[in-house]
DNA sequence: AATGAATGAGAGTTCATTCAT
DNA sequence: GATGAATGAACTCTCATTCAT
């Protein structure tokens, strides 16, 4: 167990304060460079207590990590359920908007995610990489399969390749759209809402014209 | 100048040894966590000498950085020139293969690149981000424009959106394909050559069917 | 605050030991050349602890500095009060003797004072120089003014010039008398007490004969 | 010998350059904190050469030191000779003005002098202190003795006490007047010439009224 | 259970000095 | 004789972790 009962039994405000401070610190500095000294100072908690609760720095990070995974998993499930009756490209649009909303709400967690992606000396990196494959494996794949079954997608496409491509494009869109709003210091994320609708819309239209069943830019052109 | 003449005048084997050790160290640990102590120990020189050569840790990194930028820029130019007469999608295929080859040859540089992408406290990160926009701005954009002018691409596409999509897909392909071969410790990159050809081929075919002039749309139109 | 509560809460013997060692070190070597390594070794504590207590080398020096300023200020006030009813030249004599006694009791602080006077790269040097002007401004000036008002001094004298001269002579006397007893290494200050009385006496008599009311100036004025 | 013949045989411009740079460096940073690296860089001379010429850092300082002592001694002798026919207080005035002129011409040497006064870890400090007693012993004492013999000074004065007082006052005057003009960085010494005449004049008048033959002392003597 | 003082290894950096060229 | 590359000790400072209170 990465965290003691002692911590779980703390009064919620204190627990939240510690959690928030730790997430903030790891988001700003990554794992190795994060300082327990700073965390203790900023959360007003004794340094020794942190060790009592989490054993080691790694134990604390483990706790944050699990917490974040849970948040994300829960979010994906919710979006999946709420969009079950939409057409394929609508679901993609909704997923992207949900992604932006999530990052807007939890910017620090997204920063930790970005850091973990390529920072090899994070602990659990292997496990982390496996877990984010959830997105493709558990989220996108069924979506694409359903989309093909229901005729929203061109029937000649390879499912895995489509999943790969969508994953790449969507992930990169989130990065391209959100990173500029992540303040280097804190988590100030305020993107103008009208712009994101437009940009997501354009991207989804491109995907639809390339992958959609009734697609084919030329034909549309000829029709006009 | 980030490096002294002293370093440039060293005997090549020694110079290479120091360079290789430094690249290795930065690739494994990022900037902040990289240790000049380790570098000195591993390259068999005195710690003080590193400072004589590069002034500061940042100076050393700057040197590695410029070296890498030069390597990449040179590579891109070469590929561009060598593929000038190919059709658009052939060029994309060649670019991807060249990318894989480059990473295979310089795995540590690729690791540093990946770390710099999201590790906020790298020095020169701003400059770095500007420089990798070269890829889109100076490399992909002209390619796409020429592809559209010569009728390889559907004429209804927005150039910027296509560039964004290609950038995302190609970058993610390189990550997806190459990262598993990057040993956490060192730079052991040995991917079976026949597989990369196949995978690049499949990806390019998907792009062609989605974005190519004679792609799905027309055929679907004929079907009706 | 230049020093943490941590330090203030230490058991007095340990606190004194650290303080004494630090004063000793700064007295011997000045600021830049003083070594926290040595201090830690000599006071038998860990190097890290010094930083826990004082934050930086400068913080430690700041603490010593404030401590010394307080000592000196307190001493001056005490002497001023205790000699309030004496005639001007008696007060000067008492001040000099008090100065010698102070240096005898706190030789290291006097050494630090001397170093700060002309060692330009001490921290707080500006502040320090301002503070020692206290001596002239807050201590000597009122003394001289009272001395003139009460007819102890020749009425034709310029107050500022007298203050300047007294400051110079007294300061130089303390240097000339005390420096030979300051061991280069440690703080061995043992001047034969009977000699200091004699020397101070002689000096004050010279001052009296030059500046005293019944001396030359007035008579010359009358002669003209 | 503190300096090799090699150095003495250098072409004068090079020799001067090295000397000037070294004086500048020791003036700015004192002995320990002065950096041979910087000296080598600023004088355009190889670091190794400095060691060839002077053996050690201390050897170099020794050379500067002797050079400075020679300059000062020469200056004192010149002033003494040039003022041989003046009255005592005129000579004091001339000496002060000559002191200001010397510092104006060699500000760096004066800075080194000030640093050596109280910086205990200068090499040769003992020897240095002995040598500056030259001023009192070889310069002031004969002046005072002659002044008394010729009736410029009150006959009741103790020669040593007068020498001590003059030494203190004159030294302190030079410090008080010149230090503000010594730029912390370089040696920019530009004091308005008309002011120094006035200030020296006032100080000398005070001395004359206190110590001069036609002042108080005689009358007191007559009173007895 | 909570604290925070103590620690020591390791970080980047500077520098006088040596010595092969 | 002149050079400047090489060195390693010492510097200030940080930090995760331990442990007595």
């Amino acid at each position: 167990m990465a965290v003691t009962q002692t911590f779980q039994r703390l009064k919620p405000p204190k627990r939240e304060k510690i959690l928030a401070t730790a997430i903030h610190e790891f988001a700003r500095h990554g794992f190795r460079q994060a300082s327990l000294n700073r965390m203790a100072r900023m959360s007003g908690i004794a340094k020794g207590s942190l060790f009592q609760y989490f054993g080691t720095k790694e134990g604390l990070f483990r706790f944050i990590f699990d917490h974040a995974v849970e948040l994300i998993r829960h979010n994906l499930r919710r979006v999946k359920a709420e969009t079950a009756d939409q057409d394929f490209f609508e679901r993609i649009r909704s997923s992207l908007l949900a992604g932006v909303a999530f990052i807007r709400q939890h910017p620090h967690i997204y920063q930790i995610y970005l850091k973990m992606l390529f920072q090899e000396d994070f602990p659990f990196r292997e496990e982390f990489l496996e877990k984010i494959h959830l997105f493709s494996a558990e989220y996108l794949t069924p979506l694409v399969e359903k989309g093909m079954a229901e005729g929203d997608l061109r029937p000649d496409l390879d499912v895995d390749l489509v999943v790969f491509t969508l994953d790449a494009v969507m992930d990169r869109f989130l990065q391209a759209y959100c990173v500029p709003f992540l303040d280097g210091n804190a988590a100030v994320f305020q993107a103008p809402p009208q712009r994101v609708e437009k940009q997501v819309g354009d991207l989804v239209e491109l995907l639809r014209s390339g992958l959609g069943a009734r697609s084919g830019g030329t034909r549309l052109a000829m029709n006009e």
Side-chain angles (χ1 to χ4, degrees), chain A:
Chain A
M1 175 144 51
V3 62
T4 57
Q5 289 188 324
T6 314
F7 177 72
Q8 303 290 13
R9 285 202 211 100
L10 290 179
K11 271 182 263 169
K14 189 173 183 181
R15 215 169 51 216
E16 296 301 329
K17 179 74 179 168
I18 294 171
L19 215 67
T21 308
I23 289 174
H24 183 93
E25 180 74 10
F26 283 125
R28 271 194 72 169
H29 300 286
F31 179 72
R32 286 271 122 76
Q33 210 57 25
S35 157
L36 293 184
N37 280 339
R38 266 194 301 264
M39 288 190 215
R41 206 186 313 126
M42 310 212 81
S43 63
I45 213 84
K47 210 185 343 177
S49 298
L50 288 179
F51 282 87
Q52 198 118 47
Y53 302 150
F54 304 102
T56 62
K57 189 187 193 178
E58 190 165 315
L60 170 53
F61 184 70
R62 168 92 240 174
F63 183 71
I64 302 292
F65 177 75
D66 289 343
H67 174 75
V69 167
E70 209 39 60
L71 261 183
I72 293 166
R73 197 198 301 267
H74 175 264
N75 215 258
L76 287 179
R77 264 202 287 264
R78 190 182 51 72
V79 174
K80 201 168 189 174
E82 286 176 7
T83 63
D85 55 349
Q86 296 175 356
D87 125 281
F88 177 77
F89 293 102
E90 277 311 304
R91 295 186 89 174
I92 295 300
R93 181 199 318 274
S94 304
S95 301
L96 281 169
L97 289 171
V100 172
F102 181 84
I103 295 170
R104 195 173 289 183
Q105 206 182 341
H106 306 285
H108 290 325
I109 287 179
Y110 187 59
Q111 285 181 300
I112 294 175
Y113 160 83
L114 291 177
K115 286 208 165 64
M116 284 189 82
L117 261 183
F118 303 114
Q119 189 68 7
E120 270 132 40
D121 62 355
F122 265 92
F124 333 119
R125 202 172 164 262
E126 301 281 307
E127 186 186 341
F128 162 74
L129 293 176
E130 274 176 38
K131 286 203 168 142
I132 63 169
H133 279 173
L134 277 178
F135 185 64
S136 310
E138 295 188 6
Y139 188 80
L140 276 185
T141 308
L143 234 73
V144 171
E145 281 165 349
K146 182 157 179 256
M148 296 196 70
E150 301 193 348
D152 296 334
L153 286 161
R154 281 165 37 199
D156 61 319
L157 296 171
D158 176 70
V159 170
D160 286 345
L161 253 184
V162 172
V163 167
F164 170 83
T165 307
L166 283 172
D167 188 29
V169 172
M170 294 170 75
D171 190 31
R172 280 296 298 267
F173 175 83
L174 291 179
Q175 285 173 26
Y177 186 75
C178 298
V179 167
F181 296 104
L182 294 176
D183 190 90
N185 284 342
V188 185
F189 184 86
Q190 290 299 342
Q194 73 282 12
R195 285 190 53 220
V196 71
E197 303 272 351
K198 170 76 169 69
Q199 299 210 6
V200 168
D202 288 353
L203 181 62
V204 170
E205 280 322 298
L206 178 70
L207 292 171
R208 188 194 296 275
S209 79
L211 306 173
R214 262 158 286 185
S215 68
T218 352
R219 188 191 48 120
L220 287 175
M222 288 193 293
N223 280 352
E224 283 163 15

